[in-house]
Amino acid sequence: MQGLSGYIHAEKGNMKIRKYSEIHNMAVNASGGTILVAAGPDIYQSGRLQSTVVKKFRKELDYEIFRFDAVELREGDLKRHLLENSLFSAGKLIVISDIHKLWKATVPELLDAAQEGLIDSALFLSSSKVPRESAILRKLEKAVPFYVCYEPFDSDMPGWAKRLASEENINLSREAVQLLIEYSGRNLRRLSDAVSKLALYHGPGVQVDRDKMMEVISGTGGADIFHLGDMIFCNRRGEAVDTAWSLLQYGEEPVGMLAYLFSLWQKVIWAMEIVEGGGGNREVSAKTGARYPLLDKLMKFTRTACKVDTAVVAEAFAEADHGIKTGVDRLLIFSRLIFTLTSGHL
């Protein structure tokens, strides 16, 4: 078996997959011999890909599924699993998480498999790291299909909303798509949960417009997360605090509220910079991905939002995030954030 240095000249070139749709198609059409890697910080995308691969091999190809954390595999373990025949199935799919933690002695076994190929086995490898953070990921990126799961861009979100809605067999109006994107704040897990709720509430085959969407995601007491954003960036401090309290009282997730406000704040900042530089609706839309009705809101917020140093606001969001994770009173967390983002003049 070669040492690690023996693979430096055996690398095939960059195998990085740029689009989620491409790696998803590979997962859907996977077969014996497939090796796929999903790395990066967005665990929602890697989780979806893993579920797709597992479903393919379990239900369609009749493979056994073996799951390991990389640290569990000692020298010889991976090679043995790959060489042993499956007794009761057509083959075996080996799913390995945290692949960046693979023991050094086991790395050559994995790279041998990548170089020589598999027959009646397949591998799905995942990691929260990216290639620049891990030597094994850099090698895999050049040897097998490799997708980095980053948080999607704003321009990607309409496609994700439509993809998830199609999977749930519901149809979204254009305005509902925009509201979902605004609500999710580029968080795919939050977007997926919202679409699932819409499907469960309204049933399959329904056309979901703005009103049907608001029935599901608005607070039971009449307040909704969009109103919270409106009050903050219209610089209405008292109403913003009241809305935050109402949302918390009626069960809105603090993490989701914070993610939404952070995403909206970023868009407001971009819009303000563009307008101050002489730009208008078209430039703001191109930068933020916003369409009606969010675009109209952003243009309004450029006139009404309180101007606060971005470093101060970024620190306030970081403190709020830490507070949520450490059990600080939720109303106190959002009151402090709202006080940072508003002037209290209204």
Side-chain angles (χ1 to χ4, degrees):
M1 188 165 292
Q2 301 179 55
L4 288 177
S5 60
Y7 291 91
I8 295 176
H9 302 294
E11 294 169 342
K12 302 177 182 179
N14 197 320
M15 298 285 285
K16 186 174 181 180
I17 307 301
R18 301 290 179 180
K19 295 182 179 180
Y20 178 86
S21 58
E22 293 177 14
I23 192 71
H24 180 259
N25 286 338
M26 290 182 177
V28 168
N29 296 302
S31 59
T34 292
I35 303 176
L36 297 177
V37 183
D42 191 336
I43 60 174
Y44 177 78
Q45 291 180 69
S46 60
R48 273 177 60 94
L49 290 170
Q50 179 175 309
S51 296
T52 300
V53 169
V54 169
K55 180 180 179 181
K56 173 73 175 185
F57 279 95
R58 175 181 286 142
K59 295 188 175 181
E60 296 185 29
L61 301 178
D62 191 31
Y63 272 44
E64 284 187 275
I65 312 298
F66 295 83
R67 301 176 187 270
F68 300 97
D69 291 327
V71 293
E72 298 178 65
L73 297 170
R74 302 292 175 160
E75 185 174 6
D77 287 347
L78 181 59
K79 185 175 182 180
R80 173 171 54 80
H81 283 295
L82 290 172
L83 291 177
E84 287 179 348
N85 291 327
S86 178
L87 295 178
F88 306 106
S89 302
K92 59 176 69 173
L93 168 67
I94 300 175
V95 178
I96 306 175
S97 58
D98 290 331
I99 195 64
H100 60 279
K101 295 181 180 180
L102 195 66
W103 291 94
K104 185 175 181 180
T106 310
V107 170
E109 299 172 27
L110 177 59
L111 296 178
D112 269 337
Q115 185 179 36
E116 297 171 8
L118 306 174
I119 299 175
D120 58 356
S121 297
L123 287 168
F124 182 85
L125 314 172
S126 65
S127 170
S128 59
K129 303 294 183 181
V130 293
R132 68 173 180 272
E133 300 172 312
S134 166
I136 180 62
L137 292 180
R138 289 195 294 273
K139 292 181 182 297
L140 287 170
E141 186 180 32
K142 297 176 181 179
V144 295
F146 192 109
Y147 178 72
V148 180
C149 304
Y150 289 119
E151 184 181 71
F153 294 109
D154 288 304
S155 57
D156 298 325
M157 294 303 289
W160 272 104
K162 293 172 184 176
R163 178 186 293 116
L164 294 170
S166 176
E167 292 174 1
E168 295 286 357
N169 192 24
I170 60 173
N171 300 307
L172 301 173
S173 71
R174 181 176 178 179
E175 188 174 6
V177 169
Q178 285 297 311
L179 287 168
L180 272 175
I181 294 169
E182 185 182 350
Y183 172 77
S184 61
R186 291 171 61 192
N187 184 308
L188 290 176
R189 169 57 61 191
R190 185 169 169 81
L191 177 63
S192 176
D193 288 347
V195 172
S196 295
K197 288 178 183 177
L198 289 171
L200 287 170
Y201 187 86
H202 293 295
V206 72
Q207 174 75 22
V208 178
D209 57 15
R210 184 186 191 282
D211 291 340
K212 284 186 171 66
M213 179 180 164
M214 295 301 289
E215 283 182 56
V216 177
I217 66 172
S218 293
T220 307
D224 63 63
I225 199 167
F226 304 110
H227 185 66
L228 175 60
D230 291 350
M231 293 303 95
I232 289 175
F233 296 108
C234 284
N235 200 24
R236 302 180 72 87
R237 177 179 288 177
E239 291 179 59
V241 172
D242 289 344
T243 303
W245 176 239
S246 179
L247 289 169
L248 292 169
Q249 286 282 84
Y250 285 101
E252 183 68 54
E253 286 292 334
V255 173
M257 291 170 61
L258 189 64
Y260 165 73
L261 291 176
F262 182 74
S263 177
L264 183 57
W265 170 69
Q266 286 184 312
K267 291 181 175 67
V268 172
I269 292 300
W270 290 335
M272 292 172 74
E273 290 175 350
I274 290 168
V275 170
E276 288 173 1
N281 289 41
R282 181 179 298 178
E283 292 79 9
V284 171
S285 179
K287 175 65 176 177
T288 64
R291 303 292 185 271
Y292 174 84
L294 177 56
L295 181 58
D296 288 354
K297 283 188 180 182
L298 289 179
M299 298 308 293
K300 176 183 177 181
F301 294 156
T302 62
R303 302 187 300 272
T304 61
C306 183
K307 292 179 173 59
V308 186
D309 185 89
T310 54
V312 172
V313 177
E315 180 63 26
F317 273 107
E319 289 181 1
D321 180 60
H322 179 73
I324 290 172
K325 294 174 180 176
T326 55
V328 176
D329 180 83
R330 297 172 301 167
L331 182 58
L332 179 60
I333 290 170
F334 282 97
S335 294
R336 286 174 174 170
L337 182 61
I338 291 167
F339 270 62
T340 299
L341 291 166
T342 59
S343 66
H345 293 159
L346 294 175

